[in-house]
Amino acid sequence: MSGGSGGCGDGRRFVIHKHDARTLHYDLRLEVGGVLRSWAVPKGPSTDPREKRLAVAVEDHPLEYGDFEGVIPEGEYGAGTVLIWDAGTYRNISHDDQGEDVPLDDALEKGRAAVWLAGEKLEGGYALLRTKRNEGKDWLLVKMDDEGADARRDPTSTQPASVVSGRTVDEVADEEGPDGREDGEGR
Ligand code: MN
């Protein structure tokens, strides 16, 4: 750290989309370098530091996509229902073995990163650790052991709704899906 011009960039945005596509998953998105770096987390994030959650790196998304909640039509990439399960800001807390701060893009490049999330449901440090599996696309998302850790919480099941609209996946699908606007037959 040692002062200077904002290299640590606090207050960048994170979003976790709950995405009911072919299989339900959660997409963790971090604003890095003008895009949303993204990982698909099949089981969603945990607040238990003993849980290692698979997080598969997927393509970057544009920043504006962080605001998206709705239904992606059949036939399009990611077809299914999306809601904003958690959102807020994050700080990079990545460091090397000597305890020196590491910029987030370097940490991600090296496959060992840590971020402090300040969301509505999630709070505290999360490590992102790249594995060798799946051509290096498989990462592990692990809650760090800090005041935001709580092995008894299970927010993906007890807090299923959108932090923006309060809606569940079914409510978003009903209100915004093709069946929700019944102008007529066959669509
Ligand atoms: Mn997805």
Side-chain angles (χ1 to χ4, degrees), residues 38-121:
S38 299
W39 292 261
V41 185
K43 288 180 160 180
S46 176
T47 52
D48 182 348
R50 294 170 303 186
E51 287 279 326
K52 295 178 171 61
R53 294 284 161 92
L54 173 66
V56 183
V58 295
E59 54 267 60
D60 299 341
H61 282 58
L63 293 182
E64 312 83 75
Y65 189 67
D67 296 321
F68 179 75
E69 187 166 282
V71 174
I72 302 172
E74 286 297 326
E76 289 186 22
Y77 171 78
T81 306
V82 176
L83 64 71
I84 299 173
W85 184 78
D86 202 8
T89 57
Y90 77 91
R91 285 184 293 123
N92 174 36
I93 55 169
S94 306
H95 56 78
D96 63 19
D97 292 340
Q98 283 73 46
E100 294 290 324
D101 292 344
V102 177
L104 186 56
D105 32 12
D106 292 354
L108 291 171
E109 183 69 36
K110 292 190 175 94
R112 280 176 61 95
V115 290
W116 185 278
L117 302 182
E120 294 191 29
K121 293 172 183 170

Side-chain angles (χ1 to χ4, degrees), residues 19 21 25-27 29 40 77-78:
H19 188 182
H25 60 275
Y26 295 76
D27 291 298
R29 308 191 194 279
Y77 171 78

